[in-house]
Amino acid sequence: MREITYRQALNEALKEEIERDQTVFLAGEDIAIYGGAYGVTADLWHKYGDDRIKDTPISESAIIGIGIGAAMTGMRPVVEIMYIDFISLGLEQISNQAAKIRYMFGGKSRMPLTIRTEGGAGRSLGAHHSQSLEAWLLHVPGLKVVMPATPYDAKGLLKTSIRDDNPVVFIEHKMLYNTKGPVPEEEYTIPLGAADVKKEGKDVTIITYSRMLIFSLEAAKILEKEGINAEVIDLRTLSPLDMDTITKSIKKTNKVIIVEEDTKTSGTGAELGMKIMEECFDHLDAPVKRIAGADVPMPKSSVLEKLAIPQVDDIVRGAKGIIL
Amino acid sequence: MTKEVIMPKLGETMEEGYIVKWTKNEGDYIKKGEVLFEVMSDKTNFEIESLHNGYLRKILYPPSENAIPVTTVIAYITDKPDEDVKEKSQTIEKETKEITGEIISTESTVIKEPIKDERIKASPVARRLAEEMGIPLSIIHGTGEEGRIEKKDVLAYSETLKSQEKNQQYEVIPWTPFRKIIAEKLTFSKQNIPHYYLSSRFLMDNVTKEKEKKSKEKKITYTDFLIFWTAKTIKDFPLLNASIVNNQIRLYKTIDIGLAIGIEDGLIVPVIRDAENKTIEEISSLREGIINKARDKTLSHEDMGEARFIVSNLGMFGVKNFSAIISPPGVAIMAVGAIEKEPVVKDGNIAVAETMWVTLSLDHRIIDGTYGGKFLQTLKKRFESLKF
């Protein structure tokens, strides 16, 4: 199978959906002429023009507002928030409007809005451009939260997100855009709410998503050499959450490590760990372990930045600690 | 409304019982008076009827070889099939114990509680696995964090057990609840009751003649004679018909004689009630009845009761004499040996006579040697002469 980058996979998904559905259009800062801060929308403006690809003013509130209005009136907008760090400026409209309109209008209005954004650390961009804020969004009922880690998943999940009649926050990772992976040329989609076992194992379950999947798989390779056979689950979508896959794995391994880049306190892992406790208590052989980001604003220094988010070694050490 | 089903106290000395089976499943509707479960205690099974109408919502103790203390909540019955079960806390259970404390010895609570309270660190899956395998957590060495017992520790222990079983020269057989009850009762007896023994040789000439005479109509055994005369004599020595329960000496208004009967996997003691008011023929019929029932395992709660004075006969095996262990709450047991021809001195001459050795085991806490001796002397006199 051909190999393309995460960036190209996303670009293909957008292209295919724009061609497939006349109501699909993109809006965001610098996405048209410039092709997007990370180049995901490269060449789309040249191909499809102003009607389909719109540059917006620097106003996250306006971008989300345009998306909500268009979605309510029959369009299928894909809007981009350049950095998830800026999403707070549009959060009022996301949480109080996008997430609730379909419910409050008794289902009479649809909200086929996709909000593309990217997050995560790794480029030494400092505290305003490196955060992982998925837990904020997970706390809002009515939102779907998708966080792909591979080019294949990125393309398949973006297509499904665009076609979904509910608001989806699609969070990419800035350190994944250049990663390559197999992506078929033919059409495919991936359902939301289906986790993927990226590596099978029997000794410990590593639950992760987004860039931490790459780290977890590397850690699993090292652990393999030391005789520890880790199973690595890529959640792919945090909401809806695939508890079936998680439960099945825990019944086999009895031990769980959650690897997440976001800050530990009240993070995604806190919710996951609690759900596991509620649903898999009798199958646990050790307390659920979290390997998470430090509870600090992301440092600008690349040395400190590495210390603030989980590294491969941390996962290896964590797994050994839980296996003993 | 949630109603509790408790392990019933079926006898004065019953401290714990074993659940043999549940006759209803969780979710079934049960009417007051219908049989709900079966309990084994004091060597027999009892069917227990429901005290309530309602749905059997939750069974807390499935049938097992684990003893459950009396008054422990073992299930919940609710009015509605989907009602939430309000599980009562331990403290309520304790209160119940205190309320009914009159009939429950405090010993068991004192001894057992500290063990219960000590929580062993074990992961949920290890705990579940150990329970399934019947391995107590207390004997497993935990290698997890802070000594926590993990799944691998349980598996390792079970592997060790298996390999040991392969190498060892013996086989481990199950210690059944039935045998455990016998073991507990007898150990308690030997540890707590100051036994002493009185033996006497009974001359059987008259009894043998009478037995042959009577047996022309209906077969009467030596045991029947013994029960008959023992009951009559106990009437004049009421302490032998006593029991000790909760530091009380209880004297009973009827004389119920227990008969120790060996069965396939143990020993049971059915009772001949009110024996002092029965004819020897009546006693004989009753004895035949309970022996047959014992062999067919159809003895009822009524047949069992709490024997005080017990007769144990091993004569049929040629045993000349032996000393039996008192079965609490009773205070006396009589061990009877084989009938043999022996040289005896009669009127200054040696003669051959049929004899039978009888050995009484008595509880010295309430029966002194003079009292026991007088009883045995009287019994011997009456039995040999067949006269009061």
Side-chain angles (χ1 to χ4, degrees), chain B residues 122-136:
Chain B
S123 78
V125 72
R127 203 170 278 280
R128 187 170 52 88
L129 205 62
E131 203 183 315
E132 280 168 12
M133 291 176 159
I135 304 172

Side-chain angles (χ1 to χ4, degrees), chain A residues 254-255 281-282 284-285 324, chain B residues 123-125 128 143 150-151:
Chain A
N254 308 117
K255 295 192 175 183
F281 181 77
D282 281 326
L284 288 176
D285 201 21
L324 232 65
Chain B
S123 78
V125 72
R128 187 170 52 88
T143 63
E150 293 188 350
K151 184 177 163 186

Side-chain angles (χ1 to χ4, degrees), chain B residues 82-183:
Chain B
D82 52 352
E83 204 170 310
D84 278 343
V85 174
K86 286 183 198 75
E87 293 192 28
K88 308 270 167 71
S89 65
Q90 277 292 104
T91 47
I92 289 172
E93 197 181 313
K94 261 186 205 154
E95 274 169 26
T96 324
K97 277 189 184 167
E98 274 160 28
I99 293 161
T100 53
E102 182 203 350
I103 49 164
I104 300 163
S105 153
T106 48
E107 265 168 315
S108 66
T109 32
V110 173
I111 297 165
K112 278 168 190 168
E113 282 206 339
I115 302 165
K116 247 191 238 169
D117 287 347
E118 196 181 306
R119 182 164 170 90
I120 297 162
K121 254 192 195 176
S123 78
V125 72
R127 203 170 278 280
R128 187 170 52 88
L129 205 62
E131 203 183 315
E132 280 168 12
M133 291 176 159
I135 304 172
L137 286 173
S138 56
I139 57 173
I140 302 173
H141 173 66
T143 63
E145 207 180 341
E146 291 173 32
R148 185 189 293 118
I149 298 168
E150 293 188 350
K151 184 177 163 186
K152 66 173 185 293
D153 302 322
V154 181
L155 293 176
Y157 190 86
S158 115
E159 281 307 307
T160 319
L161 280 186
K162 271 184 213 152
S163 66
Q164 274 174 2
E165 271 164 27
K166 258 182 226 158
N167 298 331
Q168 69 204 5
Q169 302 297 308
Y170 53 84
E171 152 197 26
V172 176
I173 59 165
W175 196 345
T176 61
F178 181 55
R179 289 247 44 117
K180 277 186 182 162
I181 290 171
I182 294 174

Side-chain angles (χ1 to χ4, degrees), chain A residues 202-205 247-256 280-288 322, chain B residues 123-126 128-129 151-152 155:
Chain A
K202 60 172 178 51
D203 297 330
V204 59
T205 298
T247 305
K248 200 175 145 206
S249 179
I250 291 173
K251 280 185 179 168
K252 179 167 62 169
T253 65
N254 308 117
K255 295 192 175 183
V256 194
C280 310
F281 181 77
D282 281 326
H283 299 283
L284 288 176
D285 201 21
V288 175
I322 204 171
Chain B
S123 78
V125 72
R128 187 170 52 88
L129 205 62
K151 184 177 163 186
K152 66 173 185 293
L155 293 176

Side-chain angles (χ1 to χ4, degrees), chain A residues 166-271:
Chain A
N166 299 291
V168 178
V169 184
F170 189 93
I171 308 171
E172 298 150 19
H173 196 293
K174 57 175 70 67
M175 299 304 287
L176 292 176
Y177 284 126
N178 290 328
T179 57
K180 273 192 159 181
V183 176
E185 291 185 48
E186 57 273 18
E187 163 93 16
Y188 70 94
T189 57
I190 297 168
L192 304 187
D196 186 33
V197 178
K198 287 286 197 290
K199 177 190 171 297
E200 294 210 2
K202 60 172 178 51
D203 297 330
V204 59
T205 298
I206 299 176
I207 302 174
T208 190
Y209 56 94
S210 194
R211 186 191 185 200
M212 287 300 132
L213 171 72
I214 313 300
F215 285 15
S216 297
L217 286 172
E218 269 183 59
K221 254 187 218 164
I222 296 167
L223 288 166
E224 199 80 45
K225 282 178 200 147
E226 305 192 22
I228 296 171
N229 191 354
E231 177 144 308
V232 182
I233 295 178
D234 178 7
L235 293 176
R236 302 201 292 195
T237 61
L238 301 184
S239 170
L241 183 66
D242 180 3
M243 274 310 285
D244 289 348
T245 299
I246 292 173
T247 305
K248 200 175 145 206
S249 179
I250 291 173
K251 280 185 179 168
K252 179 167 62 169
T253 65
N254 308 117
K255 295 192 175 183
V256 194
I257 300 175
I258 297 164
V259 184
E260 55 184 324
E261 188 177 328
D262 66 337
T263 51
K264 190 173 190 174
T265 301
S266 289
T268 306
E271 173 60 24

